[in-house]
Structures are given as C-alpha cells and as structure tokens.
C-alpha cells in the first residue's frame, strides 16, 4: 500500500492512497503510480512537477484509509515535512520515494503518472498490502 503526495498549483498539499505502484526502469530510475480520474486531487497531480510515494506499514492503516477518501483532510494529524523536491513528506514510512514528474498518460478511467526517482530510502518496518478489502502485513 502506498501514499502519494504532491502540492497543487496554489501550494496546498494533496495526496491519495495508491494500490498501483511499480518500478519501470533502472536506468534512468523510473516508477509509476495510477490515479483515478474521479479523485479530488486528479488535476493537481496531472500538473505537478514532483510527487513522493510512501510505502506504508501497519502503523499507517488509518492514514491509508483517510487518504483513500475524497474530500478528507488527508494531512491533519499525520507527521509530514516537505521533501527535497517540495512534496509533503511522511516522517515514518517504510520507504520514501521522491520523484520528479515525468510523463502523464490518460488510460481509461485513470492517469498513469511516471516519476524519475531522485531519492529513496529503506526503513526497517514491514510493508503492508491491501487485498480482499483488508490490510495484510508482509512477512
């Protein structure tokens, strides 16, 4: 499970929970994530110059659910500080991935957002996945 963050054109933090996130290329280091076009942050991400992806752990269940809800204040009460590229940075993720926005492709009811990885760190916590409408810790 991942949380994806950015800032909109007015400088406000925006974010969404993404179940679609993967590596694309090693040279150059590229990743992608997919965003539903009906999400309230769709326009902001389509125009963003940078975004960050956070692989989440079990301590992030509530944040993941809140970030998957249109209209929710996704940043209230969560530990965030800006990344080097200016995206809202989650303080305690399993792994943060800071990206410059690359190509955005409209694909059906989603936007595929490519990012060039500028920074990545690995933590010690175990990541979680979302399947069958619930969270599962990775063993």
């Amino acid at each position: 499970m991942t949380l994806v963050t950015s800032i909109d054109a007015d400088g406000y933090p925006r974010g969404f929970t993404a179940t679609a996130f993967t590596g694309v290329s090693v040279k150059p280091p590229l990743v992608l994530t997919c965003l539903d076009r009906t999400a309230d942050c769709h326009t902001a991400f389509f125009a963003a110059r940078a975004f960050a992806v956070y692989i989440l752990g079990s301590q992030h269940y509530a944040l993941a659910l809140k970030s998957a809800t249109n209209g929710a204040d996704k940043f209230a009460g969560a530990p965030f500080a800006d990344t080097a590229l200016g995206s809202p940075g989650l303080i305690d993720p399993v792994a943060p991935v800071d990206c410059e926005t690359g190509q955005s492709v409209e694909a059906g009811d989603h936007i595929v957002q490519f990012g060039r990885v500028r920074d990545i760190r690995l933590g010690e916590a175990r990541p979680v996945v979302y399947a069958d409408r619930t969270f599962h810790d990775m063993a």
Side-chain angles (χ1 to χ4, degrees), residues 29-136:
L30 299 173
V31 296
L32 71 76
T33 189
C34 300
L35 173 60
D36 189 322
R37 291 170 61 171
T38 64
D40 59 4
C41 60
H42 150 264
T43 303
F45 275 89
F46 198 71
R49 70 167 195 83
F51 64 93
V53 179
Y54 301 96
I55 298 171
L56 301 178
S58 60
Q59 72 272 29
H60 300 114
Y61 291 155
L63 178 61
L65 291 172
K66 183 170 50 170
S67 296
T69 305
N70 274 336
D73 184 355
K74 299 167 185 181
F75 298 92
F80 285 93
D82 289 347
T83 69
L85 296 176
S87 297
L90 183 62
I91 299 295
D92 62 345
V94 172
V97 183
D98 205 12
C99 302
E100 288 179 356
T101 300
Q103 183 180 14
S104 297
V105 178
E106 294 187 39
D109 60 358
H110 279 63
I111 291 176
V112 180
Q113 186 92 44
F114 292 88
R116 184 173 187 135
V117 176
R118 292 301 183 198
D119 186 44
I120 186 169
R121 294 183 308 278
L122 298 177
E124 296 182 23
R126 292 182 181 168
V128 295
V129 295
Y130 187 77
D132 294 327
R133 299 195 169 282
T134 192
F135 295 98
H136 302 274

Side-chain angles (χ1 to χ4, degrees), residues 8-34:
D8 66 17
D10 296 323
Y12 293 106
R14 306 295 292 204
F16 66 97
T17 300
T19 55
F21 168 71
T22 192
V24 174
S25 170
V26 174
K27 292 182 182 178
L30 299 173
V31 296
L32 71 76
T33 189
C34 300

